[in-house]
Amino acid sequence: MGVIGEAWSWLATGSHWSGGDGVWHRLGQHLYLTLVCLVISCAIALPVAVALGHIGKGGALAVNISNAGRAVPTFAVLVLLLLSPLGTHGDWPTVIALVLFAVPPLLTNAYVGMREADREVVEAARGMGMTGGQLIARVELPLAFPLIMTGVRSAAVQVVATATLAALPGGGGLGRIITAGFRTTDTAQVVAGAVLVAALALLIEGLFIGLQWLLDPMRRRGGRTAVAGRRPPADQAPKAPAVPDPAG
Amino acid sequence: MAGQSCLISNDWICGEYVRTRSQELTDATVQHVWITLASVAIGLVVALPLALLARRWRVVAGPVLGLTTVLYTVPSLAMFSLLLPFFGVSAAVVITGLVLYSLTILVRNILAGLASVPEEAREAARGMGYGPVRLLFGVELPLALPALMAGLRITTVSTVSLTTVGAIIGYGGLGNLIYEGMQSYFKAQVLTASVLCVALAIVADLLLLGVQRLLTPWARSGGAKARKKARKDGKRARTKARTA
């Protein structure tokens, strides 16, 4: 396949990596946008989800937000924000769109994680006289951690993908290499850019899987205490997709 | 403002736009619908055997689930770009990309649905002389329908939304109008196409919900009551079978 070879030689050409349109600069923009938006979305979504999960209210909200996030096209939101009065304010339309699409997975997963924290353990902790704050910090959050991190990982992947699309209305990031390739009908450049974007997305996904494993409080706890083996599997990674009631 | 055309003042909401460009809007919607339909249909046809293979051989399950997850991680713009050399500029690029995305959820949900089939139902069917094919289509798949339909609804809604990105090669349905509107700063066109796109997703979701209710009449009254009744009916049928 000729195009694959051409894409490879595009990537192997040093001049494509330097300068304002170069890969390094675009990668830097992409990572910066991803990090900033991920931090903003976590700061918005996680406290809300943890609070709602703790008091056990707002489940419908968590589900509906994630359904709405799926139905609304990212591309449409990016363009709508660009044409809105915000459009003249540099990166703001992109940042807002990225945050909007990162919030649903964060909110839903963290909420479900808090709700699925083993009720018996929570009741026991309450019976021991733990206050609400202690309950959240010492019991619910550690138990919800795997799902919270799953949410953060989905959000990160979502942000990387949305940041790529942001190149269509003229935002920065690796997507610009693809769109520039389309503009000049340079298929080799399009494919090279796509390879870079896909690699970045997979790398981010892998990075967060690693982080999830490294940071899991129950994993460390399990290493130290003897009761680890008897622990109910409530802290185990998310179950199969939520399957509605099988009939019969 | 009075009397001035909303097309000239570039308003967000413009009845005149909808009236004068109704043909363009219809064409884009039709393209959107057929790209979505083709993608979801092909996705279903591919996902079913994959799920069956993954269920039959555990060795296959890992790679199938892993690969579909990896595919899901690839951003849509990159996915379409990577498929471009294989298909050239055609609807096949968009449809193939969307099919690959749909596999993740469809395969998982079909597997979960099949796993939820009670072993007794399988045993009963085998006892009645059902072969593997009849068992699958007559007993297992109908019982797996709720999970399958849930997956189908999620897939369809996200496919409607992702189709817009196909605009990069001119096969994005309503996305094409959003793309053109973006280039010419045509607010009414962008908003109308976006709203139509969301409406399309909602209509598709409701239609599938209706199909699901038609196909699974036993689950219609929903909840524990229906299940209890089904169990009771089952028990009655079983005792009847024993006495007969």
Side-chain angles (χ1 to χ4, degrees), chain A residues 9-227:
Chain A
S9 51
W10 191 96
L11 286 172
T13 308
S15 62
H16 290 146
W17 288 72
S18 53
D21 286 330
V23 173
W24 290 124
H25 182 230
R26 293 299 182 202
L27 178 66
Q29 285 179 321
H30 211 117
L31 287 176
Y32 178 74
L33 262 179
T34 303
L35 193 69
V36 168
C37 294
L38 196 60
V39 169
I40 298 178
S41 339
C42 285
I44 295 174
L46 291 185
V48 174
V50 167
L52 286 177
H54 177 68
I55 58 172
K57 295 220 169 88
L61 178 84
V63 172
N64 284 332
I65 281 190
S66 103
N67 284 342
R70 199 177 295 124
V72 177
T74 323
F75 178 43
V77 171
L78 280 164
V79 177
L80 284 171
L81 283 169
L82 175 80
L83 298 189
S84 76
L86 277 168
T88 49
H89 293 78
D91 277 340
W92 278 108
T94 313
V95 170
I96 292 172
L98 263 61
V99 170
L100 276 179
F101 283 97
V103 163
L106 285 169
L107 204 62
T108 310
N109 280 294
Y111 178 83
V112 172
M114 290 293 284
R115 290 313 298 155
E116 285 192 353
D118 194 333
R119 282 298 110 191
E120 283 176 35
V121 177
V122 174
E123 285 310 314
R126 210 188 290 277
M128 283 166 66
M130 280 198 185
T131 62
Q134 287 175 319
L135 201 62
I136 293 180
R138 299 204 199 153
V139 180
E140 290 177 323
L141 271 184
L143 287 176
F145 183 83
L147 265 185
I148 294 178
M149 277 308 284
T150 303
V152 175
R153 173 156 54 94
S154 321
V157 171
Q158 178 75 52
V159 168
V160 169
T162 312
T164 313
L165 270 184
L168 285 171
L174 283 176
R176 278 295 271 276
I177 296 173
I178 300 178
T179 53
F182 270 111
R183 202 163 299 127
T184 53
T185 56
D186 182 350
T187 311
Q189 183 177 336
V190 169
V191 174
V195 168
L196 290 169
V197 169
L200 178 67
L202 290 175
L203 219 65
I204 297 269
E205 164 110 339
L207 181 79
F208 275 94
I209 290 177
L211 270 182
Q212 184 168 356
W213 184 80
L214 267 178
L215 297 178
D216 190 342
M218 297 315 286
R219 183 184 65 90
R220 273 180 287 148
R221 195 74 48 86
R224 263 188 276 128
T225 54
V227 289

Side-chain angles (χ1 to χ4, degrees), chain B residues 93-232:
Chain B
V93 169
V94 181
I95 292 175
T96 311
L98 294 173
V99 166
L100 291 177
Y101 282 133
S102 73
L103 292 182
T104 316
I105 289 164
L106 287 179
V107 170
R108 258 160 227 273
N109 276 53
I110 295 175
L111 274 177
L114 290 175
S116 73
V117 174
E119 195 50 44
E120 295 99 22
R122 269 194 210 103
E123 286 301 318
R126 277 198 207 101
M128 284 167 71
Y130 276 43
V133 176
R134 214 173 143 210
L135 176 69
L136 177 67
F137 287 98
V139 177
E140 290 181 310
L141 278 182
L143 287 178
L145 260 182
L148 191 154
M149 289 302 291
L152 200 59
R153 283 172 64 197
I154 295 177
T155 303
T156 307
V157 169
S158 57
T159 301
V160 169
S161 137
L162 278 171
T163 300
T164 52
V165 182
I168 186 83
I169 55 163
Y171 288 94
L174 292 161
N176 293 340
L177 296 183
I178 299 177
Y179 196 81
E180 282 171 29
M182 173 185 85
Q183 286 170 327
S184 53
Y185 277 76
F186 192 171
K187 290 177 180 172
Q189 177 160 328
V190 172
L191 186 65
T192 312
S194 306
V195 168
L196 275 176
C197 197
V198 174
L200 214 55
I202 295 171
V203 168
D205 195 40
L206 290 178
L207 275 179
L208 283 174
L209 184 65
V211 169
Q212 181 180 350
R213 294 184 128 215
L214 279 178
L215 288 179
T216 56
W218 60 87
R220 195 165 307 162
S221 45
K225 209 186 274 173
R227 228 174 305 137
K228 207 176 279 170
K229 185 174 175 299
R231 213 174 295 143
K232 212 189 281 167

